[in-house]
Every structure is written in structure tokens, then in C-alpha cells.
Amino acid sequence: MSFDLVFFGGTGDLTWRKLMPALFQAWRHGKLPTHGRILAVARDERTDASYRQWLQDKLASGDDLAKRPTEDEFERFAALVHYLCMDLSRPGDYSSLRQWLAARQADTVVMYLATSPHLFPIICEQLGAAGLNHPGVRVVLEKPLGHDLASAQAINRAVGAVFSERQALRIDHYLGKPSVQNLMALRFGNVLFEPLWRRESIANIQITLAESLGVGTRGDFYDRTGALRDMIQNHALQLLTMVAMEPPSSADADAIRDEKLKVLRSLKPFDAASVARDVVRGQYRAGTVGGVSVPGYLDEAKVPPGSSTETFVALRCEIQNWRWAGVPFYLRTGKRLARRHAEIVVNFRPTPHSIFPGAQSPNQLVIKLQPDDGLQLHLLAAKGALGPDPAAGHQAEHLSPVSLDLDFDKAFPTDRVGAYERMLLDALAGRLNLFVRSDEQEQAWRWVEPILEAWRHDASGLKTYSAGTWGPAAASALVARDGFAWAEES
């Protein structure tokens, strides 16, 4: 299969930090289809050679030494990479793109919009006007897709006027993580857990997406976005749908996305009273992370004085259907937390009647997303030693916690595919399973909008927390109200 992969925003952070390294790894692993070209598009005046040199310098500065290309590897990979100077607001520049693509007529053309979302309608309109929306073309839309429901719908209308739904790929790279794929395998490829995956057996489910970093140099962008839009509306809700959805009828993309949409439509809606009760928003102040003193959010570069933008959100939600009625789902995300840490924790109910003495913790399944990637199942086992049982008046067997730990990197030491690598390969192949459909995305916005509206009318609800902690104390109280605790507190 021949392909052309075009990156709009070819000199942007996303392209050189995530997309190009992922493509290089796909090429290194032999997974990138042959007969391909990669085109970076940006406003800078560059040649193919100068862009390749710039890209080599960027890849050579990566934190992971094992993923840096050797001189020989980069020379061979760079032969695929080209550059085109374009002003995305000028219709005439799209003629240059059309001519570049027409020189070879690849089987598949993927346009990756790694730009600000406000440019999506302009780019798609001009691609359509230039005839670059034929059935062999797909467009990948990077998040955040809109600022609210109305802007998301406007973008979807603009994209839909040029591309069909099957051509428009809304990316959420969390869905490409191997552990999320193994969540699907765990539920629908094995018989063990699915009978227990319901309200009768599960007490609560926690989804945590924690970052130890602050906003860095992105203070202006982040202040317009906040943690709710940046992480909850997309990543956290997509993970929730993967955990909570009904078994799809097949592995077909729409069969999966239909079930995810049902979950989003079943989420109990918020109103002003439930936002005040069930949503905690916070903002980090100065503190210590990893033994290093760090500034508070208001002292970060490009953050406006007195900003009330949230850097932390914790919320309690419920899914109103037979499978999950009464089971609380807790979602949590934040910057400058105790450590970089993303996981899904499924807490099972305690045994209905214990025949063993002593306190016993319920079973727990932990799906680790980052920085580790794997599964942990926490069980109870007999130590083989007797202890006193005051209630029975004699010696009895005591239970101790044990863990079954599956590290995917050790279990599958070869052919591991990173999130962006997986998503890019799926985009080239036209596999839509991991991309978000427009109705899913709009329903997620519809659910978070009452929270945004309540915050607009409540300037006093923002709580502060010290950098290097797990957020405001109110987040712990939110879970404790139901008699539970966050995983690190239990």
C-alpha cells in the first residue's frame, strides 16, 4: 500500500515530540507500510534538507536513549520525509499541496491536523475546494476538539461538509495505549471477569490521570482550557466508556462506538446542586515535587494574575442502567500531583460472609496505564500459619493480601506499539475502532457543560492544593462520603 501522510503543523510541539518519534518507531519496527511519504507542512521557509536536519536534532534530544535514531537509521527514515511551506489561510497554497500529492497518486492520503482547533474548519474547507477530499483521503483531528458543545458542533459541521464520518478520525491517544487494548481483551476475550463486571460484584471504580509536571510554557493555552476540558471531557470519559460499555456484537468500529455512546447517554446529568456536591476543582500552589521546589500555578509563565482556571478535577458520577445502577465512578485528574500516574482501579465488594478472622480487604483489579503498563489483581490467600481467633476461642487460619502482577512489557518484550504509533498505523490502514465518532464527542461535551456553567456562576468554589500532593482535601472527602478511599489512601 502506498501512502502519503501530511502533518499540518509540521514544526509544532506535537509533531516533533509525539508524531514523528512514533512514526520513526513504526518504521524501525518494520510496521510502517512500504512506499510511503511523510510531508510536514508549516509557514516557515525551509527545504527538505533543512527540515530533515531540524528533525534529526529534535529526535536526538529525546529523553529515551533507546528510541533515539542512529545516524544510519535517521538517514534511511529521513528519505521518506519532505517539507512544504504553506500559509493555511491562503487558498492558492493548497494548489501546491495538490500538485505535490498528484505527482504520485498514493493509494491512501492521511491529513493530520496537528494545529489549533480553530484552524480545522479553514483547513477542511480549503482541502475540499482543492479536491483533496476524495474517498482515498482521511483527516485526523487532534484534541481539543472545540471549547464547548457549540464550538465542537461547529467544527463537526465544517468537517462533515467536506469529509464523510468514516473519513474524519477524531484522535484520543489514550485509546491507543496497550493497557486500554488489554482492557477490551480482559473483558471480551476471557470469560473470567465479565460475569462479575456489574453492580452485584463491584463497589466502585476509580479512574486517575495524574501528572507531576506543571503547565510549563503552555500557560496561555492551559489557562483557556483547564483540567476539565483538557482531560475529563475526552481522555477520562473515553476510558469510562471502555470500562462500562456492554459487550459489542462484533469488533466492528461502529459496533464498539455504539456501545460507548450508550454509556455517555446513560451518565446521570449534572445540575447546579450536584456540581456543588459531586465535583471538586482545585489549583496548585507552590510546593515540592520529587524533592524540588516548584512554583504555584499563578506564578507560572503566561498565566494571567488571579486566574481561576482549574488544574485539578475530581468528580463522582453514576451510570443509570441495570448493569451499573448505584455504583459510583470517581474520575480524577490534575497537574503537579504526587507523581505521574494513570490507572483504572476496580474495587470489588467484600465477601458477603467471612469465615476467616481479622480485617480483610476486598479484591481489587488495577489496570495500569502509565508510567507502568500492566494489570494487578489483589487477592487474599492463607499464609499457612495459625493465629488466635478471639471470636471462636481457638487458633484459626488468617488471610494475607497477595497480588498477581502482569507487566506487559515483560510478558510481551517484542512488538510493543506505543499509543501514537498505534493510532497512526490505524489511520493509515483505515481502522476506526480507536477513533471517536462525532456523536460520542458531542455527547461528552453535553455532559460536562452543566459543570462549566455552574463554575461560571460560582467564583468561590476553587480550592488550592500544594504541589506534590494528591490534590485538595475535598477530593478525599468526596470519596469518603460513600465509605471509600482513593487507591493510594486505602
Side-chain angles (χ1 to χ4, degrees), residues 275-413:
V275 170
R277 183 184 65 245
D278 294 334
V279 182
V280 176
R281 56 176 166 147
Q283 185 185 90
Y284 66 84
R285 56 179 182 264
T288 302
V289 178
V292 178
S293 296
V294 296
Y297 178 72
L298 296 178
D299 297 318
E300 297 279 19
K302 303 178 184 177
V303 173
S307 170
S308 60
T309 296
E310 80 286 353
T311 63
F312 175 95
V313 177
L315 61 83
R316 180 191 189 277
C317 59
E318 295 182 21
I319 298 172
Q320 297 178 307
N321 62 23
W322 274 49
R323 181 184 288 265
W324 296 114
V327 176
F329 285 71
Y330 304 105
L331 311 184
R332 175 177 59 164
T333 188
K335 288 191 173 294
R336 287 296 189 207
L337 297 182
R339 66 178 186 273
R340 178 173 175 259
H341 174 68
E343 67 179 17
I344 302 168
V345 179
V346 180
N347 290 302
F348 290 91
R349 297 189 182 279
T351 54
H353 173 69
S354 177
I355 62 172
F356 298 97
Q360 296 165 27
S361 56
N363 301 144
Q364 185 183 77
L365 175 67
V366 180
I367 302 156
K368 298 187 291 183
L369 306 177
Q370 66 181 25
D372 301 315
D373 176 18
L375 295 171
Q376 285 182 339
L377 181 59
H378 299 282
L379 306 169
L380 295 172
K383 293 192 296 184
L386 298 178
D389 181 0
H394 56 70
Q395 298 283 93
E397 188 76 68
H398 282 246
L399 301 184
S400 294
V402 295
S403 298
L404 302 178
D405 196 343
L406 173 59
D407 184 323
F408 289 138
D409 286 325
K410 293 179 180 177
F412 310 112

Side-chain angles (χ1 to χ4, degrees), residues 143-368:
K143 80 155 189 96
L145 208 67
H147 194 71
D148 53 18
L149 177 60
S151 59
Q153 289 174 326
I155 290 173
N156 283 333
R157 283 194 299 270
V159 174
V162 180
F163 296 97
S164 71
E165 181 65 41
R166 295 193 69 82
Q167 289 176 287
L169 283 59
R170 297 163 191 82
I171 194 169
D172 189 319
H173 71 272
Y174 264 75
L175 298 183
K177 290 182 178 292
S179 46
V180 176
Q181 299 310 300
N182 274 293
L183 172 59
M184 291 281 286
L186 180 80
R187 288 194 60 192
F188 308 131
N190 298 280
V191 75
L192 182 62
F193 284 107
E194 190 58 27
L196 306 176
W197 214 257
R198 57 189 64 250
R199 67 185 186 279
E200 292 88 354
S201 300
I202 292 177
N204 68 84
I205 293 178
Q206 304 174 10
I207 299 175
T208 295
L209 306 175
E211 299 178 73
S212 58
L213 296 176
V215 297
T217 60
R218 299 168 67 242
D220 51 351
F221 161 78
Y222 194 88
D223 201 71
R224 298 191 303 270
T225 306
L228 186 72
R229 292 183 175 96
D230 191 41
M231 297 294 286
I232 296 293
Q233 185 274 335
N234 40 72
H235 298 328
L237 282 184
Q238 283 295 315
L239 293 175
L240 183 147
T241 62
M242 299 284 279
V243 170
M245 71 180 184
E246 295 298 315
S249 59
S250 70
D252 176 73
D254 279 331
I256 293 171
R257 297 190 290 187
D258 286 345
E259 297 302 335
K260 290 164 60 185
L261 179 61
K262 289 177 185 177
V263 173
L264 292 169
R265 287 176 172 168
S266 298
L267 282 167
K268 185 177 181 179
F270 281 105
D271 56 25
S274 59
V275 170
R277 183 184 65 245
D278 294 334
V279 182
V280 176
R281 56 176 166 147
Q283 185 185 90
Y284 66 84
R285 56 179 182 264
T288 302
V289 178
V292 178
S293 296
V294 296
Y297 178 72
L298 296 178
D299 297 318
E300 297 279 19
K302 303 178 184 177
V303 173
S307 170
S308 60
T309 296
E310 80 286 353
T311 63
F312 175 95
V313 177
L315 61 83
R316 180 191 189 277
C317 59
E318 295 182 21
I319 298 172
Q320 297 178 307
N321 62 23
W322 274 49
R323 181 184 288 265
W324 296 114
V327 176
F329 285 71
Y330 304 105
L331 311 184
R332 175 177 59 164
T333 188
K335 288 191 173 294
R336 287 296 189 207
L337 297 182
R339 66 178 186 273
R340 178 173 175 259
H341 174 68
E343 67 179 17
I344 302 168
V345 179
V346 180
N347 290 302
F348 290 91
R349 297 189 182 279
T351 54
H353 173 69
S354 177
I355 62 172
F356 298 97
Q360 296 165 27
S361 56
N363 301 144
Q364 185 183 77
L365 175 67
V366 180
I367 302 156
K368 298 187 291 183

Side-chain angles (χ1 to χ4, degrees), residues 409-474:
D409 286 325
K410 293 179 180 177
F412 310 112
T414 59
D415 297 328
R416 299 285 284 153
V417 177
Y420 269 107
E421 185 180 346
R422 171 68 183 268
M423 303 300 277
L424 286 166
L425 291 174
D426 280 5
L428 291 173
R431 293 187 292 265
L432 306 181
N433 299 42
L434 302 183
F435 295 95
V436 179
R437 209 167 55 191
S438 61
D439 50 4
E440 286 182 76
Q441 183 237 351
E442 291 180 11
Q443 184 60 34
W445 274 119
R446 194 171 286 113
W447 186 72
V448 302
E449 280 230 314
I451 304 176
L452 295 169
E453 182 64 21
W455 288 354
R456 275 192 286 268
H457 295 91
D458 175 21
S460 63
L462 186 70
K463 304 180 186 303
T464 61
Y465 61 97
S466 296
T469 67
W470 282 107

Side-chain angles (χ1 to χ4, degrees), residues 11 39-40 42-48 51 81-85:
T11 57
L39 178 66
R43 298 183 65 171
D44 305 353
E45 291 285 351
R46 297 176 188 263
T47 63
D48 286 358
Y51 182 80
V81 179
H82 305 268
Y83 183 83
L84 180 64
C85 177

